[in-house]
Amino acid sequence: MKVFSLRLPAVMQQALRAIGMVAVWVAFVGVAVVPVDSVLAAPALTQADLDGQKELLQFKLDALKESQQKDIENLRQRLDYVDKRVDDQNTYAGQGVDRLGIWVTVLLAILGSIGFVTVYRRTKKEAQEAAKDWFSENSEDLKSKVEDLQKKIGDLERHADFAEKKITAEVQEIQGQAGQAKVNIADEEARAIERLQKNMGKTQNSEEPLSDEKKQDAELLKERSDRLKRKPESEYLFADWNARALSAYSNNYFEGAAYFWLKAAEAADAKSKDAAQALLFRGIVQGQLGQAEAEIATYEEVDKRYGQAPEAALREQVARALFNKGVVQGQLEKKEAAIATYEEVDKRYGQAPEAALREQVARALLNKGVVQGQLEKKEAAIATYEEVDKRYGQAPEAALREVVARALVSKGSRQGELGRNEAAIVTYEEVDKRYGHAPEAALREQVNAAYTGLGFAWICEAKRLWMVSAEAAKNLLLSAAGVLNRAVRALDENGVVLGNLAYLACLQGDMQAAEVWFVKALQAPDHGGEEIYRDTLKDLEIHPVPEDENMRALVERLWQAHKPKA
């Protein structure tokens, strides 16, 4: 069993050490000092005896000091040992106190936990009882509120389901509308492209401008072209180049259109018929840019690439290119070359059964007759027109019916120029007989042209009979007035119709009406101005009558007032 001791303070330890030292020195002095009486009673000592006693005492003193030193050292060691023991006991005491503290803490914690559990249980029980009492008192009210909440939740869920279904339906409808809008835009663009290409594909002697309807088509293609500008041209397909070309063309950007159609023809995915069409359109644009020789070269390129192709679509494009080439040659006054080109169209495709090729051949023959008439080969021209009627006179296609009607009108005109008024009248009446009730605008235009020619033919026939039968001449003039008045309702800006009405009024003696009609003729945008002035003077030479001088004076006077000032 260990004995616990307390460590003495350092001051007390030093006091104990001092007391020990005093005791030692007292003992030493007690031993060393001898009574005086003893010394005096002793016999007298010599110097030698004194020296010997001194040495002896010195020796004892040294021995005593050494012994005291050893005792002091031993005492110091014992004190150190005691100090160590005191430290050890203090450590043990501290550890014991720590352990005691821990145990006390644990005990207090256990007692606290027990107390907490006891209080918790008691409190919980009291809370449960209080809650039970509260729920007992408020259960009906709570139940009612819960039912109300459940009902509201149910209503909200139903409303949420309805809203979700409605929103889903609206989203689907919007998505459907958006998708349909994209489809509609794509369809509209496709139809716009088709209409513009159809207009582009018309023969080059047609001066029909883009209609109001096609302005919207042009705008659609412009929007598509703007979208394509955001796409790298290295990724363009044929359709992209073609769309940009059509957009440029419809917006009068002809240089761009020519370039885009060249790129379209070179596109990797371009089919032969597409490339041929692109080159054909490029040639048309070159013509509108005044690049006639380049235009002819482009048409010849179409013939060079696809002239021997057996496919109907390619044959149609080549026929169109050759026809347009003939038109340009005629415009360049290369009339014999133009006739040869038109004959080449007939030679290659004259027996073709396809409607598109039949139309190109018919138009080529019609233009061939026009050029022959310009070369004063009027008999040859009449024969060519008759060939058109022979081949296609019974054709049901509107395009061919228009060509035949034009051929007959031109035939009547050439007959009139040859002085064959009776034959011309028969020809014009045939036009009225075949197409007088046709609803197509193109045919109505030819019928009105026939009325104009027929009215002039009757005027010429009346002049021929002027000196023979005044009554017959008068009746012919009345017939002429009938058809000319019908014609002017549709051709109120045509100088030829207006000029014929002026001449008719003069022959009937109404110079005031003649002046009104001829002023309109000079102002007419179609065949007016100097053209109607010169043609009218020329017409006065046909079967001259005295009244022609009145007409000549009127024409000269009005022309002097109308013609541009130098």
Side-chain angles (χ1 to χ4, degrees):
M1 181 177 179
K2 295 181 181 179
V3 178
F4 295 95
S5 62
L6 297 176
R7 185 174 182 177
L8 297 175
V11 174
M12 293 179 68
Q13 291 179 17
Q14 292 175 0
L16 287 175
R17 292 190 185 101
I19 291 170
M21 292 293 293
V22 170
V24 172
W25 283 103
V26 170
F28 172 74
V29 172
V31 175
V33 176
V34 292
V36 174
D37 291 338
S38 299
V39 174
L40 294 175
L45 297 176
T46 64
Q47 185 66 38
D49 291 334
L50 290 175
D51 292 336
Q53 286 293 330
K54 181 181 179 182
E55 291 177 2
L56 178 62
L57 288 174
Q58 184 67 42
F59 175 77
K60 287 181 179 182
L61 181 59
D62 292 337
L64 182 60
K65 288 174 64 177
E66 182 178 355
S67 174
Q68 289 299 321
Q69 289 291 337
K70 290 180 180 181
D71 291 338
I72 291 171
E73 183 66 29
N74 289 333
L75 181 58
R76 185 182 289 109
Q77 291 178 354
R78 287 178 64 83
L79 287 173
D80 291 340
Y81 176 75
V82 171
D83 286 341
K84 182 177 181 184
R85 291 290 295 172
V86 171
D87 289 339
D88 291 342
Q89 293 303 321
N90 286 335
T91 299
Y92 293 145
Q95 291 177 347
V97 171
D98 291 341
R99 293 190 183 94
L100 178 60
I102 291 171
W103 283 108
V104 170
T105 301
V106 172
L107 179 60
L108 289 174
I110 293 172
L111 291 175
S113 299
I114 293 171
F116 172 77
V117 171
T118 302
V119 173
Y120 170 75
R121 288 179 178 175
R122 185 171 63 252
T123 304
K124 179 179 180 182
K125 184 176 180 180
E126 292 174 355
Q128 288 176 341
E129 291 175 355
K132 184 176 180 181
D133 293 341
W134 188 86
F135 277 109
S136 296
E137 294 174 0
N138 298 277
S139 60
E140 292 300 325
D141 186 41
L142 287 173
K143 182 178 180 181
S144 175
K145 291 181 178 179
V146 169
E147 289 176 352
D148 290 342
L149 287 173
Q150 288 176 340
K151 183 178 179 181
K152 290 180 179 178
I153 291 172
D155 292 340
L156 288 173
E157 288 177 346
R158 285 190 296 274
H159 286 304
D161 290 340
F162 176 77
E164 181 181 2
K165 291 178 181 178
K166 185 177 180 181
I167 292 172
T168 301
E170 290 177 352
V171 169
Q172 290 176 348
E173 182 180 359
I174 291 172
Q175 290 175 340
Q177 290 175 351
Q180 187 61 44
K182 290 181 179 179
V183 172
N184 291 340
I185 291 174
D187 290 343
E188 289 178 2
E189 287 179 351
R191 287 192 292 270
I193 288 174
E194 182 180 357
R195 285 191 291 266
L196 286 174
Q197 287 184 159
K198 184 178 180 181
N199 187 70
M200 283 291 303
K202 289 184 177 180
T203 54
Q204 193 160 337
N205 64 337
S206 173
E207 297 179 356
E208 178 183 355
L210 289 176
S211 66
D212 292 338
E213 177 187 17
K214 291 184 175 61
K215 291 180 181 179
Q216 183 177 0
D217 296 342
E219 187 61 30
L220 279 173
L221 286 180
K222 185 178 183 300
E223 292 176 2
R224 179 173 177 181
S225 179
D226 290 340
R227 294 196 303 271
L228 285 171
K229 290 177 182 178
R230 298 190 290 268
K231 179 180 180 180
E233 291 187 356
S234 59
E235 299 177 7
Y236 275 21
L237 302 176
F238 169 82
D240 299 328
W241 289 115
N242 189 52
R244 291 203 65 181
L246 284 168
S247 174
Y249 179 79
S250 61
N251 288 281
N252 298 323
Y253 177 34
F254 298 136
E255 294 87 350
Y259 169 76
F260 293 141
W261 268 314
L262 177 62
K263 299 296 289 185
E266 297 172 349
D269 70 318
K271 298 178 181 179
S272 295
K273 67 181 184 66
D274 295 331
Q277 178 178 268
L279 289 175
L280 175 66
F281 291 170
R282 172 178 165 81
I284 292 173
V285 173
Q286 288 173 322
Q288 292 177 320
L289 289 170
Q291 302 169 0
E293 294 296 343
E295 180 183 7
I296 290 175
T298 299
Y299 296 140
E300 290 175 344
E301 180 65 21
V302 176
D303 185 25
K304 178 181 177 181
R305 292 190 189 184
Y306 309 109
Q308 303 303 316
E311 296 88 349
L314 285 173
R315 283 159 59 85
E316 177 185 352
Q317 300 302 333
V318 173
R320 288 177 183 272
L322 290 175
F323 176 85
N324 286 358
K325 176 184 175 182
V327 172
V328 179
Q329 289 172 324
Q331 293 171 345
L332 294 176
E333 299 299 325
K334 299 178 180 180
K335 300 188 183 303
E336 294 294 346
I339 291 174
T341 299
Y342 293 136
E343 289 176 344
E344 181 65 21
V345 176
D346 183 28
K347 178 181 177 182
R348 293 194 197 180
Y349 310 110
Q351 303 302 316
E354 296 89 349
L357 289 174
R358 282 162 56 84
E359 179 184 348
Q360 292 305 313
V361 172
R363 291 184 181 279
L365 290 175
L366 175 64
N367 276 20
K368 175 185 175 182
V370 171
V371 176
Q372 288 172 325
Q374 292 171 348
L375 291 174
E376 298 298 326
K377 298 179 179 180
K378 293 180 172 54
E379 294 290 354
I382 291 173
T384 300
Y385 295 138
E386 289 175 346
E387 181 65 21
V388 174
D389 185 28
K390 178 181 177 181
R391 293 193 196 182
Y392 308 107
Q394 303 303 315
E397 296 90 347
L400 288 175
R401 283 159 59 84
E402 178 189 350
V403 172
V404 172
R406 287 180 179 275
L408 290 175
V409 170
S410 296
K411 174 184 175 183
S413 180
R414 298 294 86 76
Q415 289 171 326
E417 290 173 358
L418 290 173
R420 302 173 186 173
N421 288 317
E422 292 181 355
I425 291 171
V426 171
T427 300
Y428 290 134
E429 288 178 339
E430 181 65 20
V431 175
D432 184 30
K433 178 181 177 182
R434 292 192 197 181
Y435 310 111
H437 299 287
E440 296 90 346
L443 288 175
R444 295 303 311 163
E445 180 182 348
Q446 295 308 310
V447 170
N448 288 318
Y451 289 157
T452 302
L454 181 59
F456 183 72
W458 273 330
I459 289 174
C460 292
E461 189 64 13
K463 288 176 66 180
R464 186 179 68 84
L465 299 174
W466 198 266
M467 304 304 296
V468 177
S469 175
E471 187 66 24
K474 181 179 178 180
N475 290 334
L476 288 174
L477 291 178
L478 289 174
S479 297
V483 294
L484 288 174
N485 284 322
R486 291 169 66 182
V488 78
R489 287 196 290 269
L491 304 174
D492 58 344
E493 294 186 345
N494 185 291
V496 175
V497 179
L498 296 169
N500 286 344
L501 283 169
Y503 194 15
L504 173 65
C506 175
L507 293 174
Q508 291 176 328
D510 189 351
M511 295 304 297
Q512 184 176 359
E515 182 170 346
V516 171
W517 284 119
F518 200 74
V519 168
K520 291 182 179 180
L522 289 172
Q523 296 173 346
D526 186 14
H527 302 293
E530 187 174 359
E531 179 181 349
I532 190 62
Y533 162 70
R534 294 190 180 281
D535 286 346
T536 302
L537 292 179
K538 184 178 178 182
D539 292 340
L540 296 177
E541 302 299 325
I542 301 174
H543 307 303
V545 294
E547 286 75 7
D548 288 341
E549 294 305 316
N550 295 331
M551 186 64 186
R552 189 185 306 278
L554 176 68
V555 169
E556 292 291 356
R557 177 172 60 83
L558 294 178
W559 172 244
Q560 291 299 319
H562 175 80
K563 71 178 182 178
K565 300 298 186 292

